[in-house]
Amino acid sequence: MSTTDSNDVKSFSLSISGLVAAITVNAITMIAFFSAFVILRQFLPFVYTPKKETKVFSFSNVKSLHKSLFSFIPDMFTVTDDELVEVAGINGFAAFAFCRLAFKLFLGIALICLIVLLPINATGTAGKVDLEKFTMGNVSDEGRFTSHLIMSWFCNVFIIYGVFKILNLALQVRRDHLMSVLENSLGYRSILVRDIPSELLNETSLFHIFNAVGPVDKVFLVRQDEALTSLTNNANKLRKELEVSAMVLLRNILKNDPSSGKSTGDSSPHTVVLADEEGSDRLEKLRPRKQVHFFTDRTYDRIREALSKYSDIKENFEVKQEAVASKAPMNSAFIVFKKEASANLALSAGLIDNPMAMTERHLVIDQENIRWEPLGFSYFYRLIMNVAGITGVIALSIFWLVIVTLVTSLVQLDTLAKIFPFLSDLIRAYPAIGGFVGGYLAPLLVSVLLSLVPTLLRIVAKYQGAATIASIEKFVLNWQFFFLVFNVLIVVTISQSVLKTLQSIAESPLSAPGLFAQSVPPASKYFINYVMLLAFSGPPGALLQISQIFMRSIKVFGLLGTNTPRTMQAALQPAQWDFAAQMAQHSLVVAIGITYATLAPLVLIFVVLYFGFWSFAYLYLIQNVFEKGLQTGGTELYYVGTHLFVGVYISEITLLGLFSAQGKFIHTVFMVIQIVFTFVAQQYARKYKKVVLELPVQIALENEMKELEKRAKAKAGLSDEEEDKPPRSRKFVGALFKSLFSDVSGLASDVGKLGKGVTSEVAGVAFGLANASGATKILQKMKSDVTASDLEALDKSSSSSIAIESKMATETDVISVDEEEYEIFAPPSMRKNALTKVWLPNSDPLNAVEDVILPEYSKGGIGVLSVDASVDWKGKLELGNGMLENPEKNL
C-alpha cells in the first residue's frame, strides 16, 4: 500500500464521521442495556431489588419502586442523603456523592471551556483538520495562548476547590458514621496491635502499657493453629456436602413416593413408605451415591461418608482447641478499651522505644475486617514481602506498558490496513467504519486488559500480609489509580505520537518533555473514545448485571446442581461491589478531564456524561442492589480526593511544556506560579489525613457527653427526644443547578482565602480536633453546656449534689456486652461454634426431613438447624420469612 493510501486510511481515525459512528454504536449499546434492565427488573427481583423484594429482607427505609417500566425513576430522585447513608452505608454513599460532585464540577467547567475555547481552537491557524482543529494544537498565535492560560487557572482552581469539598465531605460522613456506631460498637473501642516483642507478649504487660493511654477493658492474645484451621475448613466443606446430599435424598423420596398426593394435590398427611412391595428397603435405592474415582464403577454413600468424616473431626475437637489455647501466642493482640477515645488515642500513641515493634495498629471495626492468617507474620517477613509486592506491581506496570503500547499501535488504521490489505478498500468505501474501528477498538481492548488488574493487586496485597480487608482495599485503590494513570493517561499518550518521533528524542534528549506535551492534544481523539466507551457501557452494564443474572439464577433455581436453603438464601443477599477499583477508575476520568479541559474541550462533554450516568446508576444500585458490607467510614474519600491533584499536576506540566516549547516566557512563568499554588493547596489537603483517618477525640467526647446527658435525663424522668436536624443535603435534582451555581459563585471568595493563607484555618480546625489543648477546650465547653442543662433537671433529685464534672472524671462504665460478643477477638477455629450446623428445610409433604434425615444426622453427631423453608411434591424449594439474615453465620 502506498504512503498516500496509508495517510488516507489513517485520516479516517481522526474524522468527525468516525466520532459520530462511535457515538451511534455506543448509544445503541447503552439503550439496549438500559432497556433490558428496565424489562428484566420486573421478573428478577432477586437480582435487581434484593434489598426490597425478597423474603429475606424488608427494609422499610428503601423507597418503594413501582412495578411499571419507568415510574421507578422519579421516586429514586426524591431520596435525601441521610436516607442514602442509612440504606447504603458510607461506602455506597461516598461513591454516589463523589460522582455527583464531579458531575457538577465538570458541568461548570465544560460550559465555560466549550463556550470560550472551542471557537478559539476551531479558528486557529495551525492548519489542523477534523477533530484536531478543535484542540489547542490548532492554535499558533500568542493572544490565543493567553486564553488557554486563563482557562487553565480557572479549571485547576475550580478542581482544587472540589478537592476540598470532597475532603470536607469525607470528614462529615466519617463523623456522622462514627457518631452513629460508637455507642454500641465493641469494634470501635478495640484495636489490633502487631509485632509485639516476646517480653511483652502477655496480658498483664499489655494491659499496663495501654492502660496508661486509657482505661483498658480486656486484652486478647491471638492464638491460632494451622491444623485446627484446616479441620474447621474441612468441617464446613462436609457441612455443605451434607446439605446437598440431604436435598438430593429428600427430592428422590418425594419424586418416587407411590402415594397419590403429589398428583391430586391432596393436602392430607402422608408418611414415607420405607419398604417396597417385595419388602426390601426402598430408601436405600434412593440414597445419593458418588463414584469413588473416574476409573472404577464402585460408588459410596455420600451421606454416610460425610457423617463418618465429620465424626472424626468432631471427636476431641474441643480438646484440640484447649491445646491450641495453651500454646504460645502469635505476635499480635487485641486491646479492648472502655472508651472509644482511648482506642483512637492508642492508634497513634508512642508506646515503646523500638521503631519496629507495635507500630502497626488498626481499629477492629468488625470481625469481617480481620484477616487471621497473616497475624503471625513477623515484621521482617512482611517487609520483604512488601518490597517484593511493590517490585511486582512495578514490573506488572512495565509489562502492561508493553501490552498497551503494542495494542494501541496495532489497532491503528494504518497498521491494520498493512496487516489486512482488504481494509483499505473497505475504509475508503465506508469512511464511518474506518473512523469507528480506529477510534473504538483500541479503547475497548485497553479496558478489557485493565479489568484484570484489581484481582492481581488484591493477590499482591494478601501476600504482603495485610491484616485487614480495609488495608487491602486501600492498597488496590491507590495502586490501581497509579496503574491507570501510568498505563492509560501517560503511556497511551506517548504511544500515540512520541513513539513516532524517537529519532528526534535520540538526537535531542532534552526535547522529550516538549515532545510529550505536544503529543497530548493529538491524543485527545483516543480519550474521547475511551471516556465515551466507559460512559455509555459502564453504568448501563452495572445496572443490567449480566453476570449476576446467571450466577444468582443458577443458585436460586439449582440449574447446575442441587440448591439448598443456604445457597438459595445466599443468592438472595444484596450484591457486593468493587468499591476500590471503581473509585480508581472515576479518579482516572477526573484526571483525563482535567488534563484535556483546556487542551481539547470536546473531552469534557463525555466526562460530564460519564459522571451523570454513574450518578444515576449509583442512585439505583445503592438503594436496591448493593449491600452495606464492610464500612470504612469515609476514609476512601480522602484518598480519592487527594488523587485529583495528579490530574491537576499533569495538566499544568503539559501546558508548561507547550508554552516553553513555543517560547512563551510570560505564559511559562504563570504556569510555574500555578504549579506552586497547587503544591501549597496540596499541603493544606494533607492536613486532613489524620483527622479523617483517625477518630478525633472531639467525636468520642461528644458521644460520651451525649450518653451522660441521656443518663442524667433518665434519672430526672425527662424524655430523651432527639432534636430535629436538617438533612445532610437537599434532594438530588431540585438542588443540582442551584448548588452548581452557588459553587461557582462561592469559588472566588474561597480562592481568595486560599491565596491569602486563610485556608490554613481548615487545617487548623482539623488539627484542633485532634490535639490535646483543642480537645480540652471542646470538653470544657461541652461540660459547661451539659451542666447548665442538667443542673436544672437534677435540681430536685437525690443525686443533685453530684456534679457532671466529677462524673466525667470518674466515669469508667462500659456499655453492657455479653461475653459471647468477645468471641470476635478469637480466630474462627477457636470459637465455641467453630463447627457449624447443617441447614435443613422444616417442611415437606411427607415429613421426610424429620422422620428420615434428621434422625440419621443427629445420630451421626452433627448439629442440625431446621430453617424456615419448605419443599413441595415437585422438589421445589421455597424460603420463608424466618430465614436468617447471614447465610454464613456460625450456628
Side-chain angles (χ1 to χ4, degrees):
M1 186 173 62
S2 67
T3 304
T4 303
D5 291 341
S6 177
N7 291 333
D8 290 341
V9 170
K10 177 184 173 183
S11 67
F12 289 120
S13 65
L14 309 175
S15 66
I16 297 176
S17 62
L19 176 63
V20 173
I23 292 175
T24 302
V25 172
N26 278 284
I28 292 173
T29 302
M30 182 185 70
I31 293 171
F33 276 28
F34 185 75
S35 300
F37 154 71
V38 169
I39 295 172
L40 290 176
R41 69 180 296 274
Q42 310 297 318
F43 305 101
L44 300 174
F46 57 88
V47 175
Y48 296 107
T49 53
K51 293 175 75 171
K52 176 180 174 290
E53 297 186 29
T54 68
K55 295 181 179 180
V56 180
F57 290 95
S58 59
F59 289 151
S60 59
N61 52 355
V62 176
K63 292 294 181 181
S64 176
L65 301 182
H66 301 297
K67 288 292 185 180
S68 57
L69 286 180
F70 297 103
S71 58
F72 71 94
I73 296 178
D75 284 348
M76 278 172 40
F77 288 94
T78 61
V79 68
T80 64
D81 286 357
D82 288 323
E83 292 172 317
L84 284 178
V85 172
E86 186 178 356
V87 174
I90 294 298
N91 288 358
F93 172 75
F96 166 72
F98 177 80
C99 288
R100 180 179 60 185
L101 179 59
F103 172 68
K104 293 193 292 183
L105 287 174
F106 279 105
L107 182 59
I109 292 173
L111 289 174
I112 302 298
C113 288
L114 290 172
I115 293 173
V116 174
L117 293 181
L118 207 60
I120 293 176
N121 293 340
T123 58
T125 59
K128 302 295 183 180
V129 296
D130 290 319
L131 291 181
E132 281 197 71
K133 73 179 182 180
F134 298 106
T135 70
M136 187 178 172
N138 197 39
V139 176
S140 58
D141 56 291
E142 185 172 349
R144 294 173 184 251
F145 280 132
T146 303
S147 301
H148 291 85
L149 175 65
I150 295 172
M151 293 308 301
S152 172
W153 271 90
F154 166 76
C155 294
N156 290 344
V157 171
F158 200 46
I159 291 296
I160 291 173
Y161 171 73
V163 169
F164 283 96
K165 294 272 287 186
I166 293 172
L167 296 180
N168 281 306
L169 177 64
L171 186 61
Q172 181 181 3
V173 297
R174 181 155 175 78
R175 173 192 170 92
D176 292 349
H177 171 68
L178 292 174
M179 291 297 286
S180 67
V181 302
L182 286 178
E183 183 175 343
N184 298 308
S185 174
L186 183 61
Y188 276 93
R189 57 184 175 91
S190 309
I191 66 171
L192 166 64
V193 184
R194 305 182 77 179
D195 307 317
I196 302 174
S198 56
E199 64 271 16
L200 299 178
L201 198 56
N202 59 81
E203 288 88 345
T204 303
S205 298
L206 292 174
F207 183 91
H208 286 303
I209 289 175
F210 284 97
N211 202 57
V213 179
V216 174
D217 180 20
K218 293 180 181 292
V219 175
F220 296 93
L221 300 179
V222 179
R223 291 179 172 89
Q224 187 172 236
D225 181 75
E226 185 177 347
L228 190 64
T229 302
S230 178
L231 285 177
T232 306
N233 293 336
N234 289 336
N236 289 333
K237 292 178 182 178
L238 291 172
R239 178 204 68 190
K240 178 181 178 180
E241 172 69 10
L242 288 168
E243 288 175 347
V244 172
S245 299
M247 292 301 299
V248 172
L249 177 58
L250 176 60
R251 287 181 171 118
N252 287 342
I253 291 174
L254 294 172
K255 179 180 178 181
N256 293 278
D257 186 81
S259 64
S260 59
K262 60 181 178 181
S263 58
T264 63
D266 182 13
S267 61
S268 58
H270 295 269
T271 58
V272 179
V273 179
L274 301 179
D276 56 19
E277 296 178 357
E278 300 176 356
S280 59
D281 186 356
R282 62 182 299 272
L283 292 185
E284 189 66 29
K285 302 176 183 177
L286 303 178
R287 296 177 67 86
R289 304 187 67 83
K290 189 173 183 179
Q291 195 172 350
V292 174
H293 55 74
F294 180 77
F295 299 101
T296 182
D297 293 333
R298 290 188 298 115
T299 60
Y300 61 87
D301 189 293
R302 293 173 60 181
I303 294 179
R304 294 191 180 103
E305 181 71 12
L307 286 174
S308 175
K309 292 180 179 179
Y310 185 87
S311 178
D312 293 340
I313 291 176
K314 187 176 181 181
E315 185 178 2
N316 298 323
F317 188 82
E318 293 182 0
V319 176
K320 295 175 182 177
Q321 284 182 320
E322 294 174 0
V324 173
S326 63
K327 293 174 57 177
M330 296 179 175
N331 61 351
S332 302
F334 294 96
I335 314 297
V336 185
F337 291 89
K338 294 181 179 180
K339 300 293 181 183
E340 298 88 2
S342 301
N344 284 270
L345 286 173
L347 286 175
S348 56
L351 299 175
I352 60 177
D353 58 1
N354 185 350
M356 299 180 185
M358 300 176 65
T359 55
E360 183 178 338
R361 303 164 217 165
H362 306 270
L363 272 179
V364 173
I365 303 178
D366 60 49
Q367 60 180 338
E368 294 181 0
N369 188 41
I370 302 299
R371 298 184 65 241
W372 295 97
E373 183 182 356
L375 294 187
F377 294 172
S378 68
Y379 173 84
F380 290 103
Y381 173 81
R382 297 202 314 275
L383 180 62
I384 294 172
M385 294 305 294
N386 281 333
V387 172
I390 299 301
T391 304
V393 171
I394 295 175
L396 184 64
S397 299
I398 296 174
F399 172 75
W400 239 254
L401 181 153
V402 176
I403 298 297
V404 170
T405 303
L406 182 63
V407 168
T408 54
S409 299
L410 288 178
V411 298
Q412 290 185 30
L413 283 182
D414 51 348
T415 305
L416 289 174
K418 291 178 181 178
I419 298 174
F420 306 103
F422 69 90
L423 287 177
S424 300
D425 297 332
L426 180 64
I427 291 170
R428 278 192 292 271
Y430 303 99
I433 295 178
F436 168 71
V437 173
Y440 187 81
L441 192 56
L444 178 63
L445 293 177
V446 170
S447 299
V448 172
L449 287 172
L450 293 175
S451 66
L452 305 174
V453 175
T455 301
L456 299 176
L457 291 177
R458 284 193 174 86
I459 294 174
V460 171
K462 290 178 180 178
Y463 276 101
Q464 286 180 328
T468 63
I469 301 298
S471 299
I472 292 178
E473 293 304 297
K474 183 182 76 171
F475 180 87
V476 173
L477 174 63
N478 291 326
W479 280 99
Q480 172 75 352
F481 175 69
F482 159 78
F483 204 92
L484 290 173
V485 169
F486 180 72
N487 283 282
V488 177
L489 188 53
I490 297 177
V491 172
V492 169
T493 300
I494 294 175
S495 67
Q496 293 285 309
S497 298
V498 176
L499 289 181
K500 300 176 182 179
T501 59
L502 287 177
Q503 184 177 356
S504 299
I505 296 177
E507 294 174 355
S508 178
L510 295 179
S511 66
L515 289 172
F516 170 75
Q518 293 173 9
S519 71
V520 174
S524 62
K525 66 183 185 298
Y526 171 87
F527 289 106
I528 287 175
N529 286 282
Y530 181 76
V531 178
M532 183 199 310
L533 175 66
L534 296 180
F536 283 74
S537 62
L543 288 171
L544 185 56
Q545 304 178 77
I546 296 176
S547 62
Q548 289 294 318
I549 293 175
F550 290 100
M551 296 302 297
R552 288 174 177 261
S553 298
I554 287 171
K555 292 180 179 179
V556 170
F557 302 114
L559 300 180
L560 295 181
T562 302
N563 60 344
T564 67
R566 191 184 302 272
T567 59
M568 186 173 180
Q569 201 267 354
L572 296 175
Q573 298 287 312
Q576 298 280 353
W577 66 299
D578 192 350
F579 178 88
Q582 287 193 6
M583 292 304 290
Q585 178 181 290
H586 299 335
S587 299
L588 170 69
V589 175
V590 170
I592 293 173
I594 298 170
T595 301
Y596 285 93
T598 53
L599 300 175
L602 284 177
V603 175
L604 292 174
I605 297 174
F606 301 99
V607 172
V608 171
L609 292 176
Y610 175 90
F611 286 112
F613 292 158
W614 269 115
S615 297
F616 177 87
Y618 280 141
L619 197 58
Y620 179 86
L621 293 170
I622 63 178
Q623 290 186 75
N624 298 279
V625 179
F626 294 145
E627 70 173 344
K628 288 186 178 181
L630 177 65
Q631 297 300 294
T632 55
T635 56
E636 274 78 4
L637 269 179
Y638 167 79
Y639 294 108
V640 172
T642 55
H643 286 168
L644 303 193
F645 282 107
V646 175
V648 175
Y649 280 125
I650 293 176
S651 172
E652 292 170 343
I653 293 172
T654 301
L655 281 173
L656 179 66
L658 285 172
F659 289 147
S660 62
Q662 295 288 334
K664 310 299 181 184
F665 176 76
I666 300 298
H667 297 72
T668 303
V669 170
F670 274 97
M671 288 309 305
V672 171
I673 296 174
Q674 187 180 140
I675 293 174
V676 173
F677 174 82
T678 303
F679 177 77
V680 173
Q682 185 183 21
Q683 300 313 304
Y684 284 127
R686 286 181 176 176
K687 294 181 180 181
Y688 277 78
K689 182 174 183 179
K690 190 174 185 64
V691 73
V692 172
L693 301 186
E694 298 177 8
L695 171 67
V697 176
Q698 177 204 17
I699 296 180
L701 292 177
E702 285 182 1
N703 191 62
E704 292 177 15
M705 289 303 301
K706 283 175 58 181
E707 183 64 23
L708 288 174
E709 186 176 2
K710 186 184 300 183
R711 295 180 187 180
K713 288 183 177 180
K715 278 188 177 183
L718 301 177
S719 62
D720 186 34
E721 296 180 359
E722 294 186 2
E723 296 182 1
D724 293 334
K725 64 176 183 178
R728 181 178 286 107
S729 72
R730 296 148 296 190
K731 295 178 182 180
F732 179 80
V733 172
L736 177 59
F737 288 97
K738 184 177 180 181
S739 62
L740 169 65
F741 290 111
S742 67
D743 285 342
V744 175
S745 62
L747 177 60
S749 60
D750 287 342
V751 171
K753 293 178 182 179
L754 182 63
K756 295 178 181 178
V758 181
T759 316
S760 60
E761 292 179 6
V762 177
V765 171
F767 283 116
L769 300 181
N771 64 38
S773 60
T776 302
K777 293 178 182 178
I778 292 165
L779 178 57
Q780 289 173 350
K781 183 179 184 303
M782 288 191 296
K783 283 183 180 180
S784 62
D785 292 342
V786 174
T787 302
S789 61
D790 286 341
L791 285 179
E792 183 179 354
L794 298 176
D795 187 46
K796 300 179 181 180
S797 68
S798 59
S799 59
S800 61
S801 60
I802 303 176
I804 297 295
E805 287 87 347
S806 63
K807 293 176 75 175
M808 282 293 296
T810 60
E811 185 70 57
T812 57
D813 294 341
V814 182
I815 296 174
S816 177
V817 177
D818 295 334
E819 286 297 321
E820 292 183 358
E821 293 188 34
Y822 286 108
E823 277 205 330
I824 68 171
F825 303 113
S829 61
M830 293 295 293
R831 297 172 188 171
K832 293 180 180 178
N833 54 3
L835 300 181
T836 56
K837 294 182 179 180
V838 169
W839 285 13
L840 295 178
N842 62 0
S843 175
D844 67 89
L846 294 175
N847 211 25
V849 172
E850 183 175 349
D851 294 342
V852 178
I853 301 174
L854 188 58
E856 183 177 8
Y857 279 28
S858 300
K859 186 178 179 180
I862 190 169
V864 176
L865 182 68
S866 295
V867 297
D868 187 8
S870 61
V871 181
D872 62 15
W873 283 106
K874 297 181 179 180
K876 181 181 178 181
L877 176 65
E878 291 187 359
L879 303 183
N881 292 325
M883 284 295 289
L884 302 170
E885 181 176 338
N886 188 349
E888 298 301 327
K889 189 175 181 181
N890 291 332
L891 295 171

